[in-house]
Amino acid sequence: MSQTDTAETRTNRTESQSVSTTTGETVEETQAEWTTYEGGGETKLAVDDLDVHYGSDHALKGVSMDIPEESVTALIGPSGCGKSTFLRCLNRMNDRIRAASVDGTVTLDGENIYQDGVDLVELRKRVGMVFQSPNPFPKSIRENVSYGPRKHGDIETGLLARLTGRADPGREEALVEQSLERAALWEEVRDRLDDNALGLSGGQQQRLCIARCLAVDPDVILMDEPASALDPIATSKIEDLIEDLAEDYTVVVVTHSMQQAARVSDQTAVFLTGGELVEYDDTEKIFENPESQRVEDYISGKFG
Amino acid sequence: MSRVTQTALVRDDRTLYEAAAGLAVGLSGVAFVTGLAALLNIVAIDDPVAGLELSVLFGVVLLGLGATTVGFGVASRFDYVETGAQPSAGIVAAAAFTAIWLAVGAAVSGAAGLGTVGQLGVGVFLGAAAFATTAFPREDIGSTMPAGAVAVLCGLALVTGVVGPGWEQALAGYNATLFGDTVVPAVVLFASLVTGWSAAKAYGGFGARGRNVGAYVLTYLVVGSILAVLVGLVAFVTVRGLPGLFNGFSVGGAGLLSWPFLTNGAGLLADIAGVFPALLGTVWLVIGAVLFAVPTGVGAAVFLSEYAEQGRFTGAVEVATNGLWSTPSIVFGLFGAAFLIPRFGNQKSLIAGMLTLGFMLLPLVLITSREAILAVPDEYRDASAALGVSKWQTIRSVVLPAAIPGVTTGVILGVGRIAGETAPILLTMGGGVLPAKSAAPNVLGGFQLSASPPFVSNPALLEATSALPYQLYALITAGLSGNIQNPQEYAWGLALTLLLVVLVFYAIGIGTRYYFRRKLHQ
Amino acid sequence: MSFTTLQTDWRASIERRLTHTRAFVDDTDPDALAVVLVSMGSLLAAFVGFLLASAWTAVPLGAFLIATGYGWARHQALLARAVTFAMTTVTLITLGLIVVFIFAESIPAFQYETTTVFGVSVPGFGMFAQARWDAVSEPVRYSLLPMIHGTVMVTTIATLVAAPLGVAAALFIAEIAPPRVRELVKPGIEILAGIPSIVYGFIGFTVINPWASGAFALNGGSTYLFVGMVVGLMALPTVVSVAEDALTSVPDVMKNGSLALGATDWQSMTSITLPAAFSGVSAAVLLGVGRAIGETMAATVMLAGVPRISEPLVNVFYGYETLTSLIARGYGSANGVHESALFAAGVVLFVTVLCLSIGSQYIEARMRRRLGGAE
């Protein structure tokens, strides 16, 4: 996509923003300074005027934000504020929920992922996801990691592939090792790659899920409260990993814990009840000097 | 992490290819349905259609489908269209095509008069060729070539008239002969299924997405056929049964409603033979079984889920319950005959039938009630217990009311099931083939008191009584004949009555469940 | 564990239970205890009376009703517990009675068919060592082999129909169908389960048999092929509902994990859901096989009723007799050893299906444990 296209998109976005203001649905903060915030680097994901309805329930209201590449973006807010819904819009996992309807655009590297004819397989290869509770497959550790590449035909292990010499065990081994290494799990499991993944501890399972996601070589990694089911030590390992991953990947992480957001993220978006994005800025700015009174109340624990 | 090559999110435009593949899937579907119609003798294979015999037209369509299917593969292989084809069609497809071509080879060479050895040789040769074609080339070739070839071969056989109307082949030693009338539709069904699947894969652009589309097409076809069979069965019985059921039916007149088929017996005195005794028998049978099984089943479910600690006893009960659930109905019949009949006057009787069906209903009621009780959230119990209410009070006023929807649904569906059972009452209850109205059981008026044990007796319960399913069986074994005007029409009317009785129970059961679920979600 | 420790364990357990009971008796209102004892005692007496076919059964039954009625008004909680316990035992007792009575009735036939094998006489061996069933003309023999062959033929064809179609339909309902379609298909398949078997049999007898007779130029219209297909259709709903339960019990998070990696729905089903639910799906197929084996009426009215083995063995264009149809057709007109032989057929059926049921329960329990570990 050319530079002018991007500029156009941005202008459109500002327009629609003012429209939503005139309808009176959004509160005064929408026009505050942060709306022009564009994050630190090149924009990876641009979300524009995103509305989500679950049946008659309006779960997200006109959310717009630009997510910069190779950084950590935290989404925080009280339960039911729509932050997980927002996250699931970014790889179209909301398509699974049939009552959900999504309006607006999400642009990944200049391509709208909600236009007709989008290949969901290709999208999800590029936008990986890690879930709230660890969900390894009831298979061996090795199979868990190589699952994605196998399904996409990048690695072949079947009987036929072996017969015709297309199977490349060395490549699979290398990919498994590299992904586990990157997820800081290799040292712990290198001797038991053929054990069932369900035998790992919760923290290890979650790092396995991250490794599984990395094996597909995504650009963006979405994490939905990845540490909420884990103990403090496992949590801190995951947090270190997130910071580390941001060197190569665009990480978007939903979290319940403000400390976690403050520790790991470069920019933070605050969602408050009713599915509005209230403020989005550098993490430091949000936690030290937020624009909005509601965000300040929320952060200081007076509200939410 | 920057990628060297970035695949676009939106696939290349291949609208034309997709449209052609979609058309091929649709044409396969039409061929399938027409083939089915020919198999069921709705159309004949020598009917002229557009100047051609239907059989030859089938051949032309299959030839066309086969050629296009191969075309899809070739177009993709030589990159006229961009698809996601993988290096191989996979082991499952390879195995399936091997089996298909092995069978085709054996059948064709058998028809050509080769001996067993020749058949085996040709079959193995073609099977191996199919395996190689499917497994080794890229997926787009592997999943279209063998499929297209099947259709082309079948099409050629039909077009040239090698197989067609008037063709026949005796199966040596099997006491059966194959005719064109059945083989042509069967060939069409099979070949259209294969091309439909292959074209669906092409529609999805092969690869993971193509397999998804191909599998979905087959699954939809399976489910569609099941539903078609269901609708067909019910419609068929209805159409055949309506004349009998409404024989002499009138509204108005002396009584407000006159429905002789349901209110008459089948004796000589009745001008229109009816099924009243059997209908009443079925009603009493169901009432008796429910009176025995429902309190027992619900009580047991309460004990198992509220009082009993999980252990050997509950485990044994669970195994026994599931065992009873799957015990064949005829075994229940044998049990009733051996255990109940000697204890109720040594002859087939209504009460023996009631209890036998009660034994059958018991596990159904127990399983569904237990599920319903376990589905009541523990918070209800805790909340009640926290208020200092005793356990039994909690069960009675909190757990049971909350479980009633599930229990009711289970009982109704269970009753629908046993109301149609024939085997157990065949052995325990008996009854006549064409009972007169006087043979209808008079249970309520039949109770008698006496001074000697057992003090209470009821002859109506101790007599052999007919019920709808049993009467239908008895009519069939009597060769659908009897001392009535039109035994065929009578039997179909009886079958429809039985079907309606059972389906009404099912409709109420499913409706109740739907109603309660809606209420729960509001 | 050695025998002595086992014994002490056992003793300790009894002692514990005794103390427990004593404490319970001490804590309970003596009036309530008496009522419950009278009620349960008279129920037991009534059961024994019924077993002995005594005309006096009515007396303890009346006593039970009176005691229970009185107790219900005064000591409901304790009595409810006792009565529901008694009801729980009914399933166990029923299963026990079925075993005892069917086996007892079949003993004469097993004795009649005693054959000497290597100098040892084995009762019932003759039922499986030769293939003649003839209850009328000499030599009178009661081999079950022809009927077992028929049952195997019908069950095999039925399974070939019910297993793939049933699993596909279960996948459709659990994973593929949009909610509206599911709301239509699920009750549809339940209704299919509700169509009485005699109605299937009636259609088979009046429509399918004559059609098959013409379409394949058969001697008579009875074929294992079409009986098998009809029975398969009847076993289908069992397979669908049990397999669907197994598939939906696989946690959604697992499927989502696969989809989020970019796998298609079909890939997620075949690589995650089906393997995780494999035991449940096989249990469903086993139960379907059990239904097919036990199906009676369609086989009875569609088959020829000749106890003979078809030639060649796999000829599906003959339809002679199955275990179930043998019983349904023969019972009533049979007596003596012949009737007992019908019970022997029932024993074979009962034992086979019970084994299938227990096997499928074992498989299901294993699956529940495995998935439980996953959550």
Side-chain angles (χ1 to χ4, degrees):
Chain A
M1 186 185 269
S2 70
Q3 201 55 48
T4 39
D5 277 352
T6 323
E8 256 175 41
T9 323
R10 292 236 169 97
T11 356
N12 284 341
R13 187 162 61 81
T14 336
E15 271 169 22
S16 60
Q17 200 69 53
S18 55
V19 170
S20 64
T21 319
T22 49
T23 54
E25 273 195 358
T26 38
V27 272
E28 77 278 9
E29 278 95 344
T30 13
Q31 278 181 329
E33 206 182 323
W34 65 267
T35 44
T36 56
Y37 179 79
E38 284 170 15
E42 284 287 306
T43 300
K44 187 77 191 174
L45 277 162
V47 181
D48 184 31
D49 196 20
L50 193 68
D51 276 85
V52 177
H53 295 260
Y54 292 123
S56 57
D57 183 23
H58 200 168
L60 271 186
K61 291 175 187 158
V63 173
S64 299
M65 67 190 277
D66 287 351
I67 295 168
E69 71 175 3
E70 289 168 18
S71 66
V72 180
T73 306
L75 311 176
I76 63 172
S79 312
C81 67
K83 54 189 192 299
S84 287
T85 303
F86 177 78
L87 192 77
R88 294 166 68 90
C89 285
L90 300 182
N91 68 343
R92 292 189 57 172
M93 281 301 276
N94 275 334
D95 290 18
R96 293 282 293 161
I97 304 161
R98 299 187 199 262
S101 73
V102 179
D103 300 305
T105 60
V106 176
T107 316
L108 172 67
D109 287 329
E111 281 187 286
N112 181 4
I113 67 170
Y114 278 97
Q115 64 183 304
D116 288 341
V118 165
D119 188 349
L120 286 187
V121 170
E122 196 54 41
L123 171 67
R124 289 174 186 161
K125 270 158 88 171
R126 278 165 59 183
V127 184
M129 189 168 205
V130 175
F131 292 81
Q132 186 165 4
S133 52
N135 59 347
F137 305 132
K139 296 170 181 287
S140 74
I141 294 172
R142 187 199 313 276
E143 285 171 316
N144 262 281
V145 178
S146 61
Y147 180 83
R150 278 191 207 193
K151 293 300 141 196
H152 301 138
D154 298 337
I155 287 181
E156 287 191 82
T157 51
L159 184 64
L160 267 181
R162 256 177 277 157
L163 273 178
T164 52
R166 281 197 312 273
D168 186 355
R171 218 177 123 224
E172 189 192 1
E173 283 307 297
L175 183 75
V176 168
E177 178 175 348
Q178 189 193 331
S179 307
L180 287 171
E181 190 93 61
R182 196 73 182 79
L185 190 60
W186 174 247
E187 291 305 323
E188 291 161 60
V189 299
R190 60 186 305 167
D191 300 325
R192 44 180 176 137
L193 291 177
D194 291 312
D195 289 6
N196 194 318
L198 297 177
L200 296 174
S201 74
Q204 288 173 325
Q205 287 189 2
Q206 193 62 300
R207 275 178 286 149
L208 178 64
C209 291
I210 295 176
R212 183 173 79 184
C213 171
L214 295 179
V216 187
D217 189 23
D219 297 346
V220 182
I221 302 173
L222 310 176
M223 298 190 178
D224 190 356
E225 305 195 26
S228 67
L230 305 179
D231 62 67
I233 296 172
T235 301
S236 83
K237 278 190 184 163
I238 297 276
E239 286 175 1
D240 291 347
L241 182 57
I242 292 175
E243 281 194 88
D244 193 35
L245 288 174
E247 289 170 17
D248 300 315
Y249 302 93
T250 307
V251 181
V252 185
V253 55
V254 165
T255 173
H256 223 67
S257 135
M258 276 176 275
Q259 289 81 352
Q260 193 171 65
R263 261 200 304 272
V264 302
S265 70
D266 301 304
Q267 49 274 325
T268 299
V270 185
F271 287 75
L272 290 182
T273 322
E276 324 158 25
L277 170 60
V278 182
E279 189 160 345
Y280 174 45
D281 214 324
D282 280 333
T283 300
E284 258 173 61
K285 176 93 186 332
I286 292 277
F287 282 98
E288 278 164 19
N289 186 18
E291 297 282 329
S292 146
Q293 186 59 41
R294 290 167 72 196
V295 171
E296 193 170 344
D297 288 350
Y298 174 65
I299 296 207
S300 55
K302 281 186 199 153
F303 157 71
Chain B
M1 205 174 267
S2 60
R3 284 159 174 273
V4 187
T5 52
Q6 187 83 282
T7 321
L9 281 184
V10 182
R11 280 166 291 133
D12 271 1
D13 184 44
R14 46 165 206 266
T15 327
L16 191 68
Y17 187 75
E18 268 183 12
L23 207 65
V25 175
L27 192 59
S28 303
V30 172
F32 187 87
V33 172
T34 323
L36 205 60
L39 191 66
L40 300 176
N41 294 341
I42 297 170
V43 290
I45 58 165
D46 47 6
D47 281 349
V49 182
L52 290 172
E53 255 184 356
L54 182 61
S55 163
V56 177
L57 185 70
F58 271 141
V60 172
V61 170
L62 289 187
L63 273 178
L65 280 174
T68 5
T69 309
V70 173
F72 293 137
V74 172
S76 161
R77 183 68 187 89
F78 293 103
D79 291 332
Y80 296 119
V81 275
E82 198 187 325
T83 59
Q86 292 185 357
S88 164
I91 194 85
V92 180
F97 278 123
T98 309
I100 288 173
W101 276 99
L102 208 147
V104 168
V108 170
S109 54
L114 272 70
T116 318
V117 179
Q119 272 182 301
L120 205 68
V122 175
V124 168
F125 173 73
L126 285 181
F131 182 84
T133 323
T134 316
F136 300 129
R138 212 171 78 168
E139 186 192 8
D140 37 17
I141 293 292
S143 56
T144 55
M145 280 294 174
V150 167
V152 168
L153 185 73
C154 296
L156 277 178
L158 296 187
V159 167
T160 56
V162 170
V163 178
W167 177 86
E168 59 175 85
Q169 168 90 35
L171 293 173
Y174 276 76
N175 182 36
T177 312
L178 296 178
F179 294 102
D181 294 340
T182 42
V183 170
V184 170
V187 161
V188 172
L189 287 179
F190 172 70
S192 61
L193 204 63
V194 173
T195 55
W197 171 77
S198 188
K201 276 190 83 168
Y203 177 82
F206 304 100
R209 174 195 301 279
R211 289 174 197 195
N212 202 50
V213 178
Y216 272 35
V217 164
L218 290 187
T219 320
Y220 268 90
L221 184 72
V222 164
V223 174
S225 323
I226 294 176
L227 291 186
V229 167
L230 169 70
V231 173
L233 273 179
V234 175
F236 186 74
V237 176
T238 310
V239 169
R240 287 287 191 95
L242 280 179
L245 182 57
F246 284 101
N247 192 0
F249 176 82
S250 66
V251 183
L256 263 177
L257 189 80
S258 159
W259 200 337
F261 191 75
L262 297 188
T263 52
N264 281 3
L268 291 169
L269 293 174
D271 43 350
I272 294 171
V275 296
F276 178 71
L279 188 62
L280 195 65
T282 290
V283 169
W284 277 114
L285 202 52
V286 165
I287 292 176
V290 165
L291 283 182
F292 170 75
V294 171
T296 315
V298 175
V302 166
F303 184 83
L304 283 175
S305 40
E306 299 292 323
Y307 289 121
E309 284 165 30
Q310 292 301 312
R312 231 170 287 173
F313 176 70
T314 54
V317 171
E318 199 161 317
V319 171
T321 311
N322 289 327
L324 280 184
W325 180 77
S326 52
T327 297
S329 54
I330 190 82
V331 173
F332 276 102
L334 281 177
F335 168 62
F339 176 63
L340 295 172
I341 287 184
R343 282 162 183 77
F344 289 110
N346 258 327
Q347 59 163 352
K348 294 182 179 178
S349 63
L350 179 58
I351 192 162
M354 285 174 169
L355 286 175
T356 309
L357 288 190
F359 286 130
M360 283 192 73
L361 183 58
L362 176 62
L364 280 168
V365 173
L366 208 169
I367 291 171
T368 45
S369 309
R370 195 159 177 217
E371 267 170 22
I373 292 174
L374 287 179
V376 176
D378 267 344
E379 289 87 64
Y380 287 21
R381 299 183 180 89
D382 294 346
S384 177
L387 293 172
V389 178
S390 77
K391 187 152 194 166
W392 168 245
Q393 284 297 336
T394 307
I395 295 171
R396 218 180 65 161
S397 49
V398 177
V399 177
L400 281 182
I404 275 183
V407 174
T408 322
T409 316
V411 167
I412 296 173
L413 291 180
V415 165
R417 180 167 194 144
I418 58 154
E421 279 292 350
T422 316
I425 56 173
L426 167 67
L427 270 57
T428 55
M429 205 168 88
V433 183
L434 290 167
K437 191 161 185 176
S438 56
N442 176 15
V443 175
L444 287 182
F447 282 103
Q448 292 163 357
L449 295 176
S450 60
S452 65
F455 305 114
V456 186
S457 67
N458 188 339
L461 284 176
L462 296 177
E463 274 169 12
T465 311
S466 202
L468 292 172
Y470 172 75
Q471 199 188 354
L472 185 55
Y473 171 73
L475 272 172
I476 295 172
T477 45
L480 291 182
S481 61
N483 203 5
I484 48 174
Q485 267 184 355
N486 189 345
Q488 289 269 352
E489 188 183 279
Y490 181 83
W492 280 104
L494 178 59
L496 179 60
T497 313
L498 173 61
L499 190 66
L500 285 179
V501 167
V502 172
L503 289 191
V504 162
F505 276 116
Y506 269 74
I508 296 175
I510 293 169
T512 321
R513 184 174 60 200
Y514 191 70
Y515 169 75
F516 280 121
R517 202 177 290 161
R518 281 276 295 275
K519 233 173 82 171
L520 205 70
H521 284 298
Q522 265 167 9
Chain C
M1 196 186 287
S2 73
F3 180 68
T4 38
T5 47
L6 197 73
Q7 208 176 24
T8 34
D9 257 24
W10 193 59
R11 275 208 192 127
S13 134
I14 287 192
E15 239 157 66
R16 239 192 342 266
R17 198 147 289 180
L18 272 180
T19 344
H20 194 77
T21 315
R22 231 171 273 138
F24 174 75
V25 171
D26 289 345
D27 287 348
T28 315
D29 179 5
D31 186 34
L33 209 58
V35 170
V36 168
L37 283 179
V38 170
S39 157
M40 289 296 109
S42 50
L43 185 63
L44 192 65
F47 176 67
V48 172
F50 188 68
L51 271 189
L52 300 174
S54 154
W56 291 95
T57 304
V59 178
L61 194 66
F64 164 71
L65 290 177
I66 292 167
T68 313
Y70 169 78
W72 196 255
R74 298 285 305 276
H75 311 286
Q76 213 180 64
L78 190 68
L79 193 76
R81 194 171 171 153
V83 170
T84 54
F85 171 74
M87 288 167 164
T88 310
T89 56
V90 171
T91 49
L92 281 175
I93 291 172
T94 308
L95 195 68
L97 287 176
I98 290 181
V99 172
V100 169
F101 275 85
I102 295 188
F103 274 82
E105 295 282 341
S106 67
I107 287 173
F110 281 113
Q111 277 171 343
Y112 181 86
E113 281 293 350
T114 304
T115 310
T116 312
V117 190
F118 302 123
V120 187
S121 66
V122 183
F125 192 76
M127 287 178 176
F128 309 100
Q130 48 87 32
R132 179 182 166 88
W133 170 290
D134 199 321
V136 185
S137 50
E138 287 297 329
V140 172
R141 293 305 296 267
Y142 300 106
S143 167
L144 292 179
L145 282 185
M147 279 61 77
I148 292 177
H149 170 257
T151 297
V152 168
M153 293 287 281
V154 169
T155 308
T156 310
I157 296 166
T159 311
L160 288 179
V161 172
L165 298 192
V167 174
L171 262 181
F172 180 83
I173 295 175
E175 303 275 319
I176 298 175
R180 261 158 222 268
V181 180
R182 184 190 343 235
E183 291 295 322
L184 202 78
V185 174
K186 233 186 126 161
I189 287 182
E190 269 173 325
I191 286 177
L192 199 59
I195 297 178
S197 60
I198 189 67
V199 173
Y200 280 105
F202 185 51
I203 294 174
F205 179 76
T206 52
V207 181
I208 299 179
N209 276 6
W211 176 81
S213 169
F216 297 101
L218 306 171
N219 293 333
S222 309
T223 57
Y224 286 133
L225 179 63
F226 291 105
V227 174
M229 284 163 76
V230 169
V231 170
L233 195 62
M234 297 164 78
L236 184 75
T238 308
V239 179
V240 176
S241 69
V242 179
E244 190 224 326
D245 280 349
L247 289 171
T248 38
S249 74
V250 176
D252 254 351
V253 290
M254 260 188 213
K255 300 171 204 165
N256 286 341
S258 168
L259 290 171
L261 285 171
T264 59
D265 287 303
W266 181 247
Q267 284 175 328
S268 309
M269 274 175 240
T270 50
S271 340
I272 304 297
T273 317
L274 265 182
F278 184 75
S279 336
V281 174
S282 7
V285 172
L286 279 189
L287 284 177
V289 171
R291 278 263 171 260
I293 292 177
E295 172 40 46
T296 311
M297 296 325 290
T300 308
V301 296
M302 284 177 75
L303 289 177
V306 189
R308 201 186 300 160
I309 296 180
S310 60
E311 290 279 340
L313 220 51
V314 293
N315 191 348
V316 293
F317 290 107
Y318 280 113
Y320 287 139
E321 192 82 299
T322 63
L323 288 167
T324 51
S325 68
L326 177 83
I327 302 171
R329 208 189 307 276
Y331 200 86
S333 57
N335 45 38
V337 181
H338 183 189
E339 188 182 275
S340 170
L342 298 182
F343 275 95
V347 167
V348 173
L349 271 177
F350 178 68
V351 170
T352 316
V353 175
L354 195 66
C355 287
L356 283 174
S357 161
I358 292 175
S360 72
Q361 286 180 62
Y362 173 75
I363 294 174
E364 265 187 305
R366 230 185 48 181
M367 162 168 172
R368 236 176 287 139
R369 273 202 303 276
R370 258 189 56 189
L371 277 183
E375 273 169 344

